């Protein structure tokens, strides 16, 4: 089978997890990638990633600290996977496209809607593929629920909610996740959920939102519950406290183009928490889908709840794509789900380059997910509801303007 030559750019926490995702694909009968390089502006991060890769792949990819040197050293490189912090997605992705590579970039696609537009234009100018890595929608439970909604098993949806609020004042994974022009927690987490909402319920028409910064100082957590060496090293080196500039709690109401109402509570700060997603339909309700390893549940009007296994049994016309079915034969994102969802993203990129498969989240889809999060923050600043049209066209831009000015992004 032909394979694309691939390099990882950005070898931090998620970059490390990408290596495990690549390993899952390499070990499958569907493999269509050949990882050949790792690149990070911090040499120690690139070297650690190369050593991890050696253990995982059985060979060591070449190490780089800049993409120009990598382009000379690997002239037949097909694509890069950009897993840097979001404040540099646009500069790294645009440079990679100019160097002639196809690109997959981690969510959020970019730090502002203007930055997303730069990336879309550059990809079009260079006729390269631009794919956004968004894993939640690839979970088998998200696929199953989308199928059930499409088939209208329990009628049409009219109301949904999406809640992911956790309290506390510790540093959320990395210090940069608390800085407005690096990608605050609402953008970093929220974009998973704007994508899921749009995936299940279609495009958003209008948003009323409000957001607050509750925890102005963030503290180093006592431990980091992650086994990866990179996360452990970073935890040891982490500063004791970080001043926060990005909002950490948000509330919103989305009116979908279909007329469905969606309630949103999202963030990381303050004293309380709430979690879970629900879609209410004419003939019943759906819960517990989407996030990695989710197990969907349906309750039809006046009936007992039906769990994930029963739904799979009933959905005889539902099929996962072949690689997903190989990874998740019971249609449950169980074993190694984090890595295997990443493997699905790489497989799709390979197929797009080798055989012209359409990528599921192209630049425009990635932009819509980012724009939906900013609609909340723009609405909060403007003190009125905003239409997605004005956010996507950058007509309402007060909140993002400050970020663009700080990063030199043309608004
Ligand atoms: N899909 C998911 O579930 C998920 C989970 C975590 C993170 N992410 C996303 O992955 C991305 C990275 O997050 P992270 O937690 O790994 O951040 P991180 O800070 O741990 O890692 C970022 C890495 O990028 C490197 N870097 C910065 N600028 C660079 C440049 N110009 N060229 C090359 N390397 C550069 C840094 O040195 C660092 O090693 C973010 O977009 C984040 O939202 C996604």
């Amino acid at each position: 089978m032909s394979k694309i030559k691939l390099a990882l750019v950005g070898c931090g926490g998620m970059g490390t997890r990408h290596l495990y995702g690549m390993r899952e694909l390499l070990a499958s009968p569907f493999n269509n990638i050949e990882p050949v390089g790792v690149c990070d502006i911090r040499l120690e991060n690139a070297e650690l990633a190369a050593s991890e890769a050696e253990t995982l792949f059985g060979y060591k990819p070449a190490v780089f600290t800049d993409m120009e040197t990598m382009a000379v050293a690997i002239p037949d490189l097909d694509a890069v996977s950009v897993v840097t912090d979001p404040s540099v997605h646009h500069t790294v992705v645009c440079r990679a496209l100019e160097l002639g590579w196809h690109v997959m970039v981690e969510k959020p696609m970019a730090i502002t809607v203007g930055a997303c537009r730069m990336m879309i234009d550059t990809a079009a100018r260079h006729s390269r593929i631009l794919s956004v890595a968004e894993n939640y929608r690839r979970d088998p439970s998200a696929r199953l629920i989308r199928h059930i909604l499409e088939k209208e098993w329990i009628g049409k949806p009219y109301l949904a909610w999406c809640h992911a609020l956790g309290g506390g004042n510790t540093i959320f994974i990395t210090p940069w996740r608390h800085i407005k022009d690096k990608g605050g927690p609402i953008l970093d987490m929220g974009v998973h959920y704007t994508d899921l909402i749009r995936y299940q319920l279609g495009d958003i028409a209008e948003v009323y939102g409000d957001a607050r910064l509750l925890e102005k100082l963030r503290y180093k957590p006592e431990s980091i519950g992650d086994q990866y060496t990179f996360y452990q090293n970073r935890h040891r080196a982490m500063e004791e406290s970080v001043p926060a500039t990005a909002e950490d709690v948000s509330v919103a109401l989305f009116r979908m183009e279909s007329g469905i109402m969606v309630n949103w509570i999202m963030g990381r700060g303050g004293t309380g928490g709430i979690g879970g997603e629900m879609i209410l339909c004419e003939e019943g309700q759906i819960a517990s889908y989407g996030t990695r390893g989710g197990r969907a549940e349906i309750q039809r009007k006046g009936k007992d709840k039906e769990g994930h296994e029963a739904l799979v049994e009933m959905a005889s016309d539902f099929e996962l794509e072949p690689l997903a079915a190989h990874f998740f034969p019971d249609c449950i994102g169980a074993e190694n789900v984090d890595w295997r969802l990443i493997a699905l993203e790489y497989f799709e990129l390979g197929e797009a380059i080798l055989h012209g498969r359409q990528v599921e989240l192209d630049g425009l889809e990635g932009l819509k997910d980012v724009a939906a999060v900013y609609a909340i923050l723009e609405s909060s600043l403007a003190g009125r509801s905003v239409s997605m049209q004005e956010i996507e066209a950058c007509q309402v831009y007060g909140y993002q303007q400050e970020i663009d000015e700080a990063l030199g992004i043309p608004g």
Side-chain angles (χ1 to χ4, degrees), residues 280-315:
L280 304 182
C281 302
E282 294 158 326
E283 302 298 329
Q285 61 196 46
I286 297 169
S288 194
Y289 53 88
T291 51
R292 285 162 289 209
R295 287 173 185 242
E297 217 175 66
I298 281 194
Q299 186 161 24
R300 293 167 208 261
K301 243 188 216 168
K303 299 265 173 63
D304 290 339
K305 281 184 185 162
E306 290 157 295
H308 194 95
E309 287 82 353
L311 292 180
V312 174
E313 193 77 38
M314 280 184 278

Side-chain angles (χ1 to χ4, degrees), residues 167-360:
N169 62 359
T170 52
I171 292 170
F172 174 45
I173 314 173
T174 52
W176 61 254
R177 284 180 169 84
H178 299 289
I179 311 297
K180 190 170 168 179
D181 58 24
K182 297 228 173 259
I186 308 288
L187 176 67
D188 191 64
M189 273 182 18
V191 81
H192 282 305
Y193 295 102
T194 52
D195 185 67
L196 257 191
I197 289 170
R198 292 194 323 99
Y199 178 60
Q200 307 291 6
L201 303 173
D203 275 342
I204 302 164
E206 189 180 358
V207 179
Y208 180 78
D210 209 346
R212 297 280 185 279
L213 170 54
L214 292 184
E215 309 296 345
K216 298 196 175 60
L217 206 52
R218 290 275 171 172
Y219 298 94
K220 176 177 177 170
E222 266 176 31
S223 63
I224 191 113
D226 236 308
Q227 77 278 23
Y228 304 98
T229 310
F230 180 87
Y231 283 110
Q232 294 296 343
N233 289 352
R234 182 170 47 211
H235 181 257
R236 272 192 290 278
M238 196 178 273
E239 43 275 65
E240 287 304 317
S241 66
V242 187
T245 55
E247 288 76 359
D248 49 17
V249 171
S250 66
V251 174
L253 177 63
F254 295 154
R255 188 170 54 75
M256 308 302 288
E257 281 183 355
S258 58
I260 301 167
M261 304 167 280
V262 181
N263 168 261
W264 160 289
I265 301 178
M266 175 87 35
R268 277 249 155 181
T271 51
I274 184 169
E277 305 107 36
M278 177 79 85
I279 300 174
L280 304 182
C281 302
E282 294 158 326
E283 302 298 329
Q285 61 196 46
I286 297 169
S288 194
Y289 53 88
T291 51
R292 285 162 289 209
R295 287 173 185 242
E297 217 175 66
I298 281 194
Q299 186 161 24
R300 293 167 208 261
K301 243 188 216 168
K303 299 265 173 63
D304 290 339
K305 281 184 185 162
E306 290 157 295
H308 194 95
E309 287 82 353
L311 292 180
V312 174
E313 193 77 38
M314 280 184 278
S316 52
D317 56 345
F318 170 71
E319 274 182 13
L320 290 170
E321 68 170 285
L323 177 58
H326 169 76
F327 284 149
F328 311 118
D330 300 327
C331 196
I332 295 174
E335 202 188 332
N336 297 343
V337 60
D338 184 37
W339 307 336
R340 290 182 167 181
L341 297 181
I342 295 169
L344 289 168
E345 296 167 346
Y346 280 110
F347 177 71
E348 185 197 74
L349 178 70
E351 289 300 283
I353 295 170
L354 295 169
H355 307 298
R357 174 174 165 175
Q358 205 58 32
V359 294
E360 191 167 323

